[in-house]
Amino acid sequence: MIKVAINGYGTIGKRVADAAAAQKDMEIIGVSKTRPTAEALVAVKKGYPVYIADISKKAAFEKAGIPVAGSIEEMVQKADVIVDGTPGGVGESNKALYEKYGKKAIWQGGEDHDLAGFSFNAHANYKDAIGRQFVRVVSCNTTGLCRVIKALDDKIGVAKVKAVMVRRGADPHVVKKGPIDAVVLDPPTIPSHHGPDVNTVLPHIDIVTMAMIVPTTQMHMHAIQMELKRESSRDEVLGVMKAHSRIGLVQATTGIKSTAELKEYVMDLGRPRSDLWENGVFEASVAVIGKDLYFFQAIHQEADVVIENVDAIRAMAGDVKDPEVSIKMTNESLGFVAI
Amino acid sequence: MIKVAINGYGTIGKRVADAAAAQKDMEIIGVSKTRPTAEALVAVKKGYPVYIADISKKAAFEKAGIPVAGSIEEMVQKADVIVDGTPGGVGESNKALYEKYGKKAIWQGGEDHDLAGFSFNAHANYKDAIGRQFVRVVSCNTTGLCRVIKALDDKIGVAKVKAVMVRRGADPHVVKKGPIDAVVLDPPTIPSHHGPDVNTVLPHIDIVTMAMIVPTTQMHMHAIQMELKRESSRDEVLGVMKAHSRIGLVQATTGIKSTAELKEYVMDLGRPRSDLWENGVFEASVAVIGKDLYFFQAIHQEADVVIENVDAIRAMAGDVKDPEVSIKMTNESLGFVAI
Amino acid sequence: MIKVAINGYGTIGKRVADAAAAQKDMEIIGVSKTRPTAEALVAVKKGYPVYIADISKKAAFEKAGIPVAGSIEEMVQKADVIVDGTPGGVGESNKALYEKYGKKAIWQGGEDHDLAGFSFNAHANYKDAIGRQFVRVVSCNTTGLCRVIKALDDKIGVAKVKAVMVRRGADPHVVKKGPIDAVVLDPPTIPSHHGPDVNTVLPHIDIVTMAMIVPTTQMHMHAIQMELKRESSRDEVLGVMKAHSRIGLVQATTGIKSTAELKEYVMDLGRPRSDLWENGVFEASVAVIGKDLYFFQAIHQEADVVIENVDAIRAMAGDVKDPEVSIKMTNESLGFVAI
Amino acid sequence: MIKVAINGYGTIGKRVADAAAAQKDMEIIGVSKTRPTAEALVAVKKGYPVYIADISKKAAFEKAGIPVAGSIEEMVQKADVIVDGTPGGVGESNKALYEKYGKKAIWQGGEDHDLAGFSFNAHANYKDAIGRQFVRVVSCNTTGLCRVIKALDDKIGVAKVKAVMVRRGADPHVVKKGPIDAVVLDPPTIPSHHGPDVNTVLPHIDIVTMAMIVPTTQMHMHAIQMELKRESSRDEVLGVMKAHSRIGLVQATTGIKSTAELKEYVMDLGRPRSDLWENGVFEASVAVIGKDLYFFQAIHQEADVVIENVDAIRAMAGDVKDPEVSIKMTNESLGFVAI
Ligand SMILES: NC(=O)c1ccc[n+]([C@@H]2O[C@H](COP(=O)([O-])OP(=O)(O)OC[C@H]3O[C@@H](n4cnc5c(N)ncnc54)[C@H](O)[C@@H]3O)[C@@H](O)[C@H]2O)c1
Ligand SMILES: NC(=O)c1ccc[n+]([C@@H]2O[C@H](COP(=O)([O-])OP(=O)(O)OC[C@H]3O[C@@H](n4cnc5c(N)ncnc54)[C@H](O)[C@@H]3O)[C@@H](O)[C@H]2O)c1
Ligand SMILES: NC(=O)c1ccc[n+]([C@@H]2O[C@H](COP(=O)([O-])OP(=O)(O)OC[C@H]3O[C@@H](n4cnc5c(N)ncnc54)[C@H](O)[C@@H]3O)[C@@H](O)[C@H]2O)c1
Ligand SMILES: NC(=O)c1ccc[n+]([C@@H]2O[C@H](COP(=O)([O-])OP(=O)(O)OC[C@H]3O[C@@H](n4cnc5c(N)ncnc54)[C@H](O)[C@@H]3O)[C@@H](O)[C@H]2O)c1
């Protein structure tokens, strides 16, 4: 059993906790919280030991009905692998602690590539992560791009990618962030950082990205254009996508044309937290004109990286050497079959 | 076993189907759809026989992978109780069909009181529904009002209610309806229809309501003011609320101050479709000044009426005479304990 | 000529500048900016001398095409009255500067009453402001409440006010603030601070307020309930409102039922910045049941306090003793007749 | 004087009325309304004679304070050129009326190209419109694309355009349309109709477009990629844009990064209805990599076509043969200089 600790039990952390807890080869030995909020209460209900950042707040947690198992430092000592789910930029400050106890740790996409020195996507570079101490799972957008680019590059060849990322303004429960009624260029310069971030996983891909933020909470939408290395066909491209265990095709017959309807569909399927772990490629949108491929894909920011974290844990622990074996273990444990 | 059919497997219908299917004394013998959309696919995955409004579309359904069990008329014949979940105003046109076969039927709040001649809320008038052929489960907003007014009226006495309903513009998956950036008075006249609608269940209550629509999808928010019949205290009011099996108190320690954070909390609790079946009264808001009571409550429009439908089915079927027994059966079958 | 300086040329400041500049007895001797943004460029186009907070940034302003007239301290020295339009909480830190030069200053509703020791609304207490050194113009919501409460109290008598304020999340150009899809209780406790704030202007009014924030940028909406001191009629109440120069009645025949449609109407009327300076009471909503009065009013947060600032300047300068004279001068200079 | 009638005094119609009224060679002889709403009241205040679709409603208009000048048919007879601003699809049904009286008419982008047989953009094909009876001014998005593509094609040469249109869900005052919280593919297939629509004006351009709708009201945002016919430079491209009288460059120093901030800027500039008549190209975004050009442009849907309508009127009337002369007349009469 790989002993997994979640440092930062928030949007990503709580999902990774549940997904890791569902693996036969993993157990959650603790999760950390800074304040005794609703999420901490849920951790208690799920039976995860709660460790806290500032041990002087122990009484406040216990008054709120949350037994405190100890400090984050104690949690780290008990773990084999720590998944750091603290907010972007904060994760960096935890590195010394993980190093102090010689622990393996995974950071998320809010941290720079250099912090871990290795950026991960299960289908792209699982093998290179085997046995590593530090790994960064790339961001939700980058994960979504890497999956589909890697698959098409392997089977058909990708000469150039131009992607426009229309991003959600904030996660659904985040009420302080906007915009309320605006399209915000983020950044207003071109290219955005997403292209270089794809290159931390797939260094040889020629990619230019443009990004903006819109007033929605549900999912990101990618408008993707690719120049393939040779002429292809819509059917060939759809075939590559269908064959990928983490790319889903939103069928035209479902009538789904938006992120909101797609979210409703995965909700109705009974997925935990209505999570879309896979890329949601809109089948009707896939168009091939000569060497040019066009399509839309929805990326559920809270979900797609979760299963990548699980594979990253397994790769770092080192017992499962074959990416396909790990990916299958992860997917099956969650009852996950791409839509 | 009460044979339940869902005519109109949409936002409300699909939830009632799952909730009824979870009861020991009920089974879903069919659900109806007009088009072979994502929801129909989900019905198939859940094992609900799919009946269709227009049997000439059978081929289209089957092409989309949805076996068709028959026409709606055939479904109605097989059922003991039909839950009509068709859009507001459409339900009325189905009455003749239910009468033709002498079937019991439940309509939703989008239909007028007169259609069924009886408006239902489990805690308020379950006994009056026993054995009835036709029942209307009042709307989400009215359900939320009835629960809390009835409870306080029984225990303390309610002289007058003034409620402002800040309503969600559309359900989360509905992408055509707005507003995007406006507060819309609906209606611009005072009082709104909600007060009279409460009176269909609780005729003696003096209530004036004002309603508006805002650009959110998650939940309605009620700002409620009540004049109690006698001086009371915050503790007494909280006590009444806590004792009610379908009123939840959002604790201040959770840090939850908004509909979105509340939705996240029930999502994290693992509720199916992140449904808040109970009234979500914000504990911190409950204030008593003399005889005046003030509080905020969140009402999840898609969810609160679902469990009321289950109790209505049971009352109409007639075997369970005691409201508390039915309410307990319903709640326990869903593992539902108010937050 | 009253020499007016605007310290903090933002949402409120830029509007007060234009409104004061339109007065025969006032001139704008300077406005201040912290950064060389679009608003600063506009100040230059309008011919307002631009003073800057941090004089070391002078080169940056001039590179952006904005001539710098001097430091804020220099601006203050040249002014008779400073309108402080800096962000809530910042204004306080400027008090010492105004005192140093013995200058009169006006703060906005983001500051506490105690900072100025006097809270202003033209119709309510103009005379008490005559000759004062420091005045605070109450917030947009409080201004909207004071106008209508004072008018009805004078003519009919107000026993009790209960108001629910449904507030816009952010001003239209503010893209970082949310919420995107939530109703946020702000505060989650009752009463909100708006009631006590009304009491800084109208100390004898019995008022309880509840407040929330919704995802819109256009205007606030108030759902108001008042207990009048005697029985009245809809016509009497409408009469009082119509007679008030800063209360507008949105006629039912216009078809306007929302803040957005109301904004469009004032835009079409050609008002500068589409500003609704008056309270926008929805005529159709005004209902009187016995002693109880109910109505909705829209409050344009960016606009209603602007004309109050102009009157405050005039009162403090001291030459015009009669509130009605000042109010008329202000309104007429802007070509403003309430809708 | 060209006698102009506006059939359909709505979002576009009221703006064209004001812009045409500002021309020395045009006068508004009438505008038409179907209902006596706020817009009709404004028409009266502006002195435009109001004609109505259904003359039996005359009394209702007059009761609302709107004198009725006659029927639409009467208005058409008095006009030289009718600008049809009725909703998309409705305009078609008016053709017979315009033909009956042999009148010139302009439709908007909501109608098909074939209705008029000629699609107009002032900079692209003014000369071909001279003397025509029927002209269609292309939609807001197509107008924005045509301006910038035509300019770059003339000066540098455009080999291929790939554009992603992130569209506003509804105009600001439209409260019934959504989405509230979703990104909606519209259409979910690729290419969208915008490319072929550009080809009605610029037939030789190779263009593929993708389109979606987001929950905002302010402006559309275009993410544009162009393959130029030769290597170019950022400076050359900026030069072409700066030289165009209807392309504005949003300077980085303004700090403007969003549609909302851009709208605020034009509001502050005092533009009527805060209209951005020009394309709003974000200067910071303009990037040239070899032959590839990338940039973002904001398109104010309500505004950009307005000035094109004015030029179309003039071309059809036939006295001004030189496009640059007409464009200059139009721009100067409005005091319009691109930002
Ligand atoms: N939310 C997304 O959509 C998303 C998607 C992909 C990647 N990410 C990345 O995942 C990381 C986490 O993001 P999130 O959205 O889950 O954040 P979050 O704010 O939802 O959760 C962060 C958690 O960390 C805790 N925390 C804060 N400071 C801490 C500290 N010093 N020590 C321990 N715990 C602390 C907080 O209490 C909170 O529970 C970031 O790097 C982010 O960029 C987020
Ligand atoms: N959605 C809510 O928040 C909510 C809350 C409380 C009550 N209600 C009430 O519940 C009822 C249903 O609303 P909803 O939101 O679930 O609607 P919905 O649009 O989500 O679902 C309606 C379903 O009925 C089907 N349908 C339409 N016409 C039909 C016909 N002629 N025959 C059979 N099926 C047909 C549709 O395919 C759809 O599946 C309405 O009366 C509504 O007012 C809705
Ligand atoms: N915006 C509203 O809707 C509204 C309504 C009523 C009252 N108010 C109140 O008006 C005041 C101003 O609010 P606003 O919305 O106009 O703010 P804003 O952020 O739009 O503008 C503030 C301006 O002050 C400048 N500034 C910031 N720090 C400064 C400093 N130290 N010295 C000088 N200038 C500085 C900024 O550059 C900006 O131009 C606040 O007290 C607010 O509560 C705002
Ligand atoms: N709004 C935009 O953003 C925009 C942008 C570019 C082009 N357009 C196009 O301009 C046209 C008008 O759109 P709009 O947004 O101004 O519409 P709108 O709905 O704002 O206005 C339409 C007007 O036409 C009137 N009308 C309706 N039916 C009529 C009839 N039978 N006879 C006479 N008048 C009638 C309505 O009363 C209304 O005043 C459409 O073709 C649309 O596609 C709109």
Side-chain angles (χ1 to χ4, degrees), chain C residues 157-171:
Chain C
V158 169
K160 212 173 194 172
V161 183
K162 296 176 184 177
V164 178
M165 342 290 289
V166 179
R167 294 161 50 204
R168 62 88 181 94
D171 289 335

Side-chain angles (χ1 to χ4, degrees), chain A residues 278-291:
Chain A
E278 61 270 51
N279 291 24
V281 175
F282 288 81
E283 191 188 23
S285 74
V286 177
V288 178
I289 306 174
K291 290 183 176 174

Side-chain angles (χ1 to χ4, degrees), chain B:
Chain B
M1 293 292 266
I2 311 169
K3 289 181 202 307
V4 178
I6 308 291
N7 193 13
Y9 184 77
T11 305
I12 297 300
K14 67 189 175 189
R15 286 173 163 86
V16 176
D18 291 358
Q23 308 304 312
K24 273 178 299 191
D25 53 345
M26 300 181 195
E27 66 176 320
I28 297 298
I29 60 95
V31 303
S32 80
K33 283 301 298 173
T34 49
R35 285 179 304 129
T37 56
E39 277 172 348
L41 284 167
V42 171
V44 172
K45 291 198 194 189
K46 301 217 174 199
Y48 302 141
V50 175
Y51 292 82
I52 64 177
D54 178 357
I55 201 73
S56 75
K57 291 195 184 154
K58 194 173 176 191
F61 275 78
E62 295 186 337
K63 209 182 135 198
I66 301 155
V68 172
S71 70
I72 289 181
E73 185 153 357
E74 291 173 278
M75 179 179 78
V76 166
Q77 294 174 58
K78 292 190 184 138
D80 297 324
V81 182
I82 297 105
V83 178
D84 191 306
T86 59
V90 173
E92 191 177 349
S93 62
N94 296 326
K95 188 174 187 179
L97 180 65
Y98 307 146
E99 282 175 330
K100 178 172 172 189
Y101 295 104
K103 297 295 181 178
K104 292 178 194 289
I106 297 173
W107 285 279
Q108 309 304 316
E111 308 300 322
D112 286 338
H113 170 79
D114 290 343
L115 180 63
F118 181 80
S119 290
F120 178 87
N121 175 265
H123 278 83
N125 59 10
Y126 180 97
K127 286 191 179 165
D128 300 333
I130 292 175
R132 280 192 181 265
Q133 184 181 3
F134 294 140
V135 161
R136 166 181 170 262
V137 171
V138 289
S139 78
C140 44
N141 280 307
T142 306
T143 294
L145 288 170
C146 286
R147 282 180 186 161
V148 74
I149 293 170
K150 167 76 175 154
L152 290 164
D153 193 42
D154 281 357
K155 301 286 162 51
I156 307 180
V158 169
K160 211 172 195 172
V161 182
K162 295 177 184 176
V164 178
M165 342 290 290
V166 180
R167 294 161 52 204
R168 62 86 182 95
D171 290 335
H173 69 287
V174 173
V175 298
K176 291 206 174 155
K177 279 180 70 182
I180 295 174
D181 183 359
V183 176
V184 183
L185 303 179
D186 186 51
T189 49
I190 298 171
S192 75
H193 71 279
H194 300 91
D197 205 36
V198 165
N199 291 145
T200 66
V201 176
L202 304 170
H204 65 290
I205 294 293
D206 180 350
I207 176 167
V208 175
T209 51
M210 306 168 77
M212 65 188 86
I213 291 177
V214 299
T216 186
T217 67
Q218 313 259 7
M219 295 187 191
H220 303 301
M221 181 67 80
H222 293 182
I224 298 187
Q225 306 163 16
M226 282 191 202
E227 193 187 311
L228 301 173
K229 285 196 176 148
R230 59 169 170 79
E231 301 228 335
S232 174
S233 67
R234 185 168 188 266
D235 279 350
E236 187 184 17
V237 168
L238 287 174
V240 172
M241 290 173 167
K242 269 180 205 150
H244 193 290
S245 62
R246 290 181 180 172
I247 297 179
L249 283 173
V250 183
Q251 310 289 329
T253 49
T254 60
I256 296 172
K257 293 178 199 162
S258 66
T259 53
E261 293 157 321
L262 181 53
K263 194 88 187 285
E264 181 95 355
Y265 182 45
V266 287
M267 177 186 84
D268 284 350
L269 288 176
R271 292 266 183 93
R273 292 188 174 89
S274 309
D275 276 356
L276 184 77
W277 293 305
E278 61 272 50
N279 290 23
V281 175
F282 288 81
E283 190 186 25
S285 74
V286 178
V288 178
I289 308 175
K291 290 183 177 175
D292 283 334
L293 165 65
Y294 301 84
F295 62 95
F296 289 116
Q297 68 175 4
I299 297 295
H300 184 191
Q301 73 277 358
E302 302 163 305
D304 71 343
V305 299
V306 171
I307 50 182
E308 303 291 334
N309 271 275
V310 172
D311 290 313
I313 295 170
R314 199 174 276 121
M316 293 161 78
D319 287 336
V320 179
K321 312 285 186 207
D322 182 343
E324 282 307 322
V325 171
S326 173
I327 288 168
K328 213 177 159 198
M329 286 172 74
T330 302
N331 289 6
E332 285 184 357
S333 68
L334 297 170
F336 162 42
V337 181
I339 52 167

Side-chain angles (χ1 to χ4, degrees), chain D residues 64-129:
Chain D
I66 301 155
V68 173
S71 70
I72 290 183
E73 185 153 356
E74 291 173 279
M75 178 179 77
V76 165
Q77 293 173 58
K78 292 190 185 137
D80 298 324
V81 181
I82 297 108
V83 177
D84 191 306
T86 59
V90 173
E92 191 176 350
S93 61
N94 296 326
K95 189 175 186 178
L97 180 65
Y98 306 146
E99 283 175 329
K100 179 174 171 189
Y101 295 104
K103 296 295 180 176
K104 292 178 194 288
I106 297 174
W107 285 280
Q108 308 305 316
E111 307 301 323
D112 287 338
H113 169 79
D114 290 344
L115 180 63
F118 181 79
S119 291
F120 179 86
N121 174 267
H123 278 84
N125 59 10
Y126 180 98
K127 287 192 178 167
D128 300 334

